[in-house]
C-alpha cells in the first residue's frame, strides 16, 4: 500500500515495523462540547484507514486518545458549573454514541489524559534531566531551540528570539517554547495534580507522546489526525518523544483535510455548525454522512451541504433496496457463468485503496458490482455462482466501507406487514394501505416484490 507521508511530503510504500501488524495512533477528541461533523470526518478517516489495513491482512492496534483536561475542557466545565470529570465523561459518552451511529468500529483502547498523569510526568522529568525542558515561574516548558529537528514535520523555521507560550493552542505561524506542565493558578480551580512535579496540570501536547509510547511502544507505524494538528500539536509530539527516547517517534504521518460547509469554515457564529445530532434532527440517517465522507478522498477538502447529503441518503437507500431485493431471489440458473466483472471490480477496489486510500475509486468499484447485479436481475438471468460471488464481494467491500449496517425490525412491524399481506390477498386495498401508513409511522417501509412477497426496510426521510 502507498500512503502520503506528511513528514516527507510524498506518497510512500507502507512498510510496518513488525510484519503483519500496524501500530496506529489517532489524535482523538477534546471532550469540551459535542463533536461536530468535521471531527467525525476525522474519526471516519481513522476507521476506514484501520479497516483497509485489516482488509490487506494486517492486525491493527489502534489507539484513539480522549483529551479530558486542557484549557477548553476546564473553561467549559466551569461555565457549565460541573466538575471537570463529570463534564468530560458526559461528552465522551456522546462522542461514542455518535460514533456508533456512523458504524465506527471500536479502537483497541481510548486512553484518557487524566488517567496518564504519571506517564506524562515521567517524560517531563526525563526532558528536564536531558536539558530539553526548563522550569519557569508558571510552568515547565519545552525549549524548542534545543531540538535540532524542530520543524521537520510542519516546515516551520526557528528564527531569532523564541517566545514562551502557556496556552494549549497558539499561533500557527511561529515556533514557541510550549508548556509541558502548567503550574496551578486559581483559574484551574480544583483541577491539579502533584506527584513528582509542582502542583499543576499537563499541557495538551504531552499526553499524546505518553499514551502513544505506553500502548504502542517508542516507535510506531502510523500517526494520524487532521491537518490543523500538524503544527503545533504533532510537531511538539515529535520534539517531546524523540528528545526523550532518542528514537524516531512515528514512521508515517497521515493527515486529513478539512470539512467545509457551503465553502466556508464551520463555525457557530456563521450558523453553519453541525453535529451528528443536528443531522438527525433534520431527519437524516447519520450513515448517509458516512457515505458522503467515503466518496471524498481524505486529502481533499470536503464541501458539505444539506442538499448534497440528501443525494447520499437517496443513494444509500437505493443500495439497501437493491441488496434486499437480490437476497429474495430463490430461483437461480444452474451452470457456469463468467464472474470476471465481479473479480475485476474487486481488483479495482483493492488497487484504489492501496493508492493512498482512494475511497472514491473503491466506492465506484462497489457500485460496479451492484449495477451488474441489477442488470442481470432485471434480465432474469442470474446464475447461482454469479450471485454468490457478487454477494461475497459486496460483503468484503463493506468490511472496509462500512456503509451497510444490520438493524433489527421490531416484531410489531413484522406483524403489521403480514396483516397487510393478507388484506391485499382479500383485495382490501384501502385497509392494506392504512396498514402501510402504520408501518411508516414506525419508521419502516414496505417494498413489494413479485408473487405478493415483500421486504421491510428502514424508512429514510430523504430515501428513494
Ligand atoms: Zn494528539
Amino acid at each position: 500500500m502507498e500512503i502520503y507521508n506528511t513528514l516527507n511530503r510524498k506518497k510512500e510504500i507502507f512498510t510496518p515495523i513488525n510484519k503483519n501488524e500496524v501500530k496506529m495512533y489517532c489524535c482523538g477528541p477534546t471532550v469540551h462540547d459535542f463533536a461536530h461533523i468535521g471531527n467525525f470526518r476525522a474519526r471516519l478517516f481513522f476507521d476506514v484507514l484501520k479497516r483497509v489495513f485489516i482488509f490487506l491482512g494486517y492486525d491493527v492496534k489502534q489507539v484513539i486518545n480522549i483529551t479530558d483536561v486542557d484549557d477548553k475542557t476546564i473553561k467549559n466545565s466551569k461555565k457549565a458549573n460541573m466538575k471537570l470529570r463529570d463534564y468530560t465523561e458526559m461528552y465522551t459518552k456522546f462522542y461514542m454514541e455518535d460514533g456508533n451511529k456512523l458504524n465506527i468500529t471500536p479502537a483497541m483502547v481510548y486512553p484518557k489524559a487524566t488517567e496518564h498523569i504519571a506517564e506524562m510526568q515521567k517524560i517531563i522529568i526525563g526532558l528536564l534531566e536531558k536539558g530539553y525542558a526548563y522550569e519557569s515561574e508558571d510552568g515547565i516548558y519545552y525549549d524548542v531551540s534545543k531540538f535540532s529537528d524542530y520543524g521537520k514535520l510542519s516546515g516551520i523555521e526557528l528564527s531569532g528570539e523564541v517566545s514562551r507560550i502557556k496556552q494549549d493552542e497558539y499561533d500557527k505561524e511561529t515556533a514557541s517554547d510550549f508548556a509541558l506542565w502548567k503550574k496551578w493558578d486559581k483559574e484551574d480551580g480544583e483541577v491539579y495534580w502533584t506527584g513528582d512535579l509542582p502542583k499543576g496540570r499537563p499541557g495538551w501536547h504531552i499526553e499524546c507522546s505518553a499514551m502513544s509510547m505506553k500502548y504502542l511502544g517508542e516507535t510506531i507505524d502510523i500517526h494520524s489526525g487532521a491537518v490543523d494538528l500538524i503544527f503545533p500539536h504533532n510537531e511538539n509530539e515529535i520534539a517531546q518523544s524523540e528528545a526523550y527516547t532518542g528514537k524516531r517517534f512515528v514512521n508515517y504521518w497521515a493527515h486529513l483535510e478539512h470539512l467545509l460547509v457551503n465553502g466556508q469554515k464551520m463555525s457557530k457564529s456563521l450558523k453553519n455548525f453541525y453535529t451528528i445530532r443536528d443531522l438527525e434532527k433534520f431527519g437524516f440517517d447519520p450513515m448517509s454522512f458516512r457515505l458522503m465522507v467515503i466518496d471524498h478522498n481524505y486529502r481533499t477538502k470536503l464541501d458539505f451541504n444539506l442538499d448534497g447529503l440528501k443525494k447520499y441518503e437517496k443513494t444509500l437507500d437505493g443500495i439497501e433496496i437493491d441488496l434486499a431485493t437480490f437476497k429474495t431471489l430463490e430461483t437461480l440458473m444452474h451452470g457456469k457463468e463468467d464472474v470476471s466483472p465481479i473479480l475485476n471490480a474487486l481488483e479495482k477496489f483493492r488497487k484504489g485503496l492501496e493508492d493512498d486510500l482512494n475511497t472514491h475509486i473503491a466506492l465506484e468499484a462497489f457500485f460496479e458490482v451492484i449495477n451488474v447485479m441489477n442488470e442481470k436481475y432485471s434480465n432474469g438471468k442470474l446464475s447461482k455462482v454469479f450471485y454468490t460471488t457478487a454477494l461475497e464481494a459486496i460483503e468484503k467491500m463493506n468490511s472496509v466501507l462500512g456503509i451497510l449496517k444490520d438493524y433489527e425490525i421490531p416484531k410489531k412491524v413484522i406483524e403489521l406487514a403480514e396483516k397487510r399481506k393478507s388484506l391485499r390477498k382479500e383485495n382490501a386495498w384501502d385497509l392494506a394501505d392504512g396498514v402501510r401508513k402504520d408501518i411508516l409511522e414506525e419508521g419502516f417501509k414496505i417494498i413489494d416484490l413479485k408473487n405478493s412477497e415483500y421486504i421491510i426496510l428502514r424508512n429514510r426521510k430523504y430515501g428513494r
Side-chain angles (χ1 to χ4, degrees):
M1 177 181 185
E2 282 199 330
I3 190 142
Y4 184 87
N5 190 351
T6 310
L7 190 64
N8 299 324
R9 288 163 191 81
K10 60 172 196 270
K11 272 201 257 183
E12 293 177 346
I13 293 174
F14 178 79
T15 316
I17 301 162
N18 299 329
K19 206 177 164 224
N20 304 327
E21 185 192 69
V22 177
K23 293 188 265 194
M24 177 181 187
Y25 187 93
C26 311
C27 279
T30 302
V31 280
H32 69 289
D33 202 344
F34 285 107
H36 55 64
I37 54 173
N39 302 133
F40 276 105
R41 185 192 188 190
R43 181 115 185 259
L44 284 165
F45 167 62
F46 304 154
D47 184 53
V48 174
L49 185 59
K50 174 178 69 179
R51 288 168 178 258
V52 169
F53 283 128
I54 294 170
F55 174 78
L56 296 174
Y58 295 102
D59 285 329
V60 183
K61 286 185 173 165
Q62 185 190 35
V63 177
I64 302 179
N65 69 299
I66 305 284
T67 301
D68 61 350
V69 57
D70 80 320
D71 296 349
K72 287 190 277 191
T73 46
I74 293 175
K75 198 174 126 210
N76 287 7
S77 64
K78 272 168 70 178
K79 229 192 269 173
N81 209 7
M82 285 173 81
K83 280 198 167 146
L84 179 67
R85 197 179 176 88
D86 295 340
Y87 183 84
T88 55
E89 272 179 2
M90 176 176 77
Y91 282 106
T92 305
K93 193 176 141 257
F94 294 147
Y95 179 75
M96 296 300 173
E97 282 173 6
D98 291 355
N100 290 339
K101 291 174 195 164
L102 294 167
N103 201 23
I104 286 169
T105 50
M108 175 182 84
V109 58
Y110 296 93
K112 292 177 178 169
T114 55
E115 292 170 5
H116 296 79
I117 301 292
E119 287 85 347
M120 292 187 232
Q121 290 194 342
K122 192 175 163 215
I123 298 173
I124 296 169
I125 290 165
L127 291 172
L128 281 166
E129 283 167 2
K130 290 185 176 185
Y132 288 99
Y134 61 89
E135 187 169 345
S136 80
E137 67 289 348
D138 64 353
I140 297 169
Y141 287 84
Y142 190 98
D143 183 348
V144 293
S145 69
K146 293 276 166 62
F147 185 65
S148 60
D149 270 348
Y150 197 81
K152 71 174 170 182
L153 182 72
S154 61
I156 204 143
E157 281 175 33
L158 294 188
S159 51
E161 266 305 277
V162 173
S163 59
R164 179 195 302 160
I165 187 104
K166 197 180 180 188
Q167 280 102 295
D168 287 330
E169 286 185 69
Y170 54 89
D171 178 15
K172 294 201 179 291
E173 307 301 320
T174 11
S176 305
D177 287 354
F178 58 92
L180 296 164
W181 188 258
K182 304 180 183 194
K183 289 185 186 170
W184 183 84
D185 68 41
K186 61 178 189 309
E187 291 294 303
D188 292 344
E190 290 172 15
V191 182
Y192 62 84
W193 287 265
T194 48
D196 295 328
L197 293 176
K199 177 178 173 180
R201 63 175 170 104
W204 168 38
H205 314 292
I206 190 70
E207 67 178 68
C208 287
S209 293
M211 298 193 279
S212 180
M213 281 185 220
K214 174 167 179 178
Y215 294 97
L216 300 171
E218 290 178 339
T219 305
I220 70 163
D221 296 303
I222 190 159
H223 188 123
S224 59
V227 282
D228 59 343
L229 292 184
I230 296 173
F231 187 83
H233 183 58
N234 296 153
E235 189 73 64
N236 292 350
E237 282 182 56
I238 294 177
Q240 295 160 161
S241 311
E242 299 194 353
Y244 178 68
T245 64
K247 292 175 192 160
R248 183 167 171 153
F249 178 45
V250 171
N251 287 336
Y252 302 88
W253 285 90
H255 290 100
L256 77 140
E257 262 297 342
H258 286 294
L259 177 142
L260 304 172
V261 175
N262 296 317
Q264 283 178 302
K265 206 180 160 196
M266 203 171 17
S267 82
K268 281 187 174 164
S269 58
L270 286 172
K271 296 206 183 339
N272 66 354
F273 185 96
Y274 300 120
T275 64
I276 297 298
R277 282 146 206 262
D278 291 331
L279 302 185
E280 283 182 308
K281 266 181 232 154
F282 297 137
F284 285 102
D285 175 355
M287 291 291 281
S288 315
F289 180 65
R290 182 174 180 112
L291 182 63
M292 183 190 226
V293 168
I294 283 174
D295 196 27
H296 293 78
N297 290 335
Y298 77 97
R299 286 205 297 126
T300 56
K301 290 192 172 69
L302 193 171
D303 193 6
F304 174 92
N305 61 65
L306 294 172
D307 283 333
L309 191 61
K310 282 178 194 166
K311 284 183 204 142
Y312 283 99
E313 181 131 320
K314 198 167 269 180
T315 306
L316 181 65
D317 206 52
I319 300 169
E320 215 178 80
I321 295 172
D322 287 347
L323 278 175
T325 313
F326 300 152
K327 283 181 183 166
T328 59
L329 281 173
E330 275 173 9
T331 44
L332 291 165
M333 295 185 325
H334 286 287
K336 282 187 177 167
E337 196 182 2
D338 179 19
V339 294
S340 59
I342 305 290
L343 302 182
N344 292 343
L346 257 179
E347 179 69 3
K348 177 176 172 177
F349 181 83
R350 188 180 55 79
K351 276 194 175 149
L353 294 174
E354 284 181 341
D355 179 14
D356 195 22
L357 209 79
N358 193 329
T359 49
H360 177 78
I361 292 283
L363 199 58
E364 249 179 47
F366 177 85
F367 282 116
E368 283 177 16
V369 179
I370 300 277
N371 291 343
V372 73
M373 281 284 279
N374 261 328
E375 208 176 287
K376 287 184 179 279
Y377 178 77
S378 51
N379 292 341
K381 282 183 187 163
L382 189 60
S383 73
K384 199 162 186 167
V385 61
F386 198 94
Y387 177 78
T388 320
T389 315
L391 286 195
E392 273 172 18
I394 286 168
E395 205 168 303
K396 244 185 231 170
M397 290 173 169
N398 192 49
S399 76
V400 174
L401 306 174
I403 49 176
L404 301 163
K405 187 166 103 173
D406 289 336
Y407 50 81
E408 240 178 274
I409 298 164
K411 211 174 137 209
K412 185 180 172 190
V413 172
I414 297 170
E415 283 167 4
L416 284 170
E418 278 302 305
K419 188 174 157 195
R420 175 176 173 271
K421 186 176 167 182
S422 26
L423 286 169
R424 280 163 67 93
K425 266 190 192 152
E426 294 157 15
N427 294 332
W429 303 108
D430 285 350
L431 288 173
D433 201 48
V435 178
R436 186 185 61 81
K437 284 174 188 155
D438 293 342
I439 293 170
L440 274 177
E441 289 281 308
E442 298 292 321
F444 290 85
K445 65 182 167 196
I446 299 276
I447 312 276
D448 289 305
L449 306 169
K450 296 167 227 163
N451 315 325
S452 68
E453 286 307 312
Y454 61 86
I455 44 181
I456 310 171
L457 291 173
R458 203 165 90 189
N459 188 41
R460 293 186 175 90
K461 187 173 175 186
Y462 306 107
R464 194 151 84 177

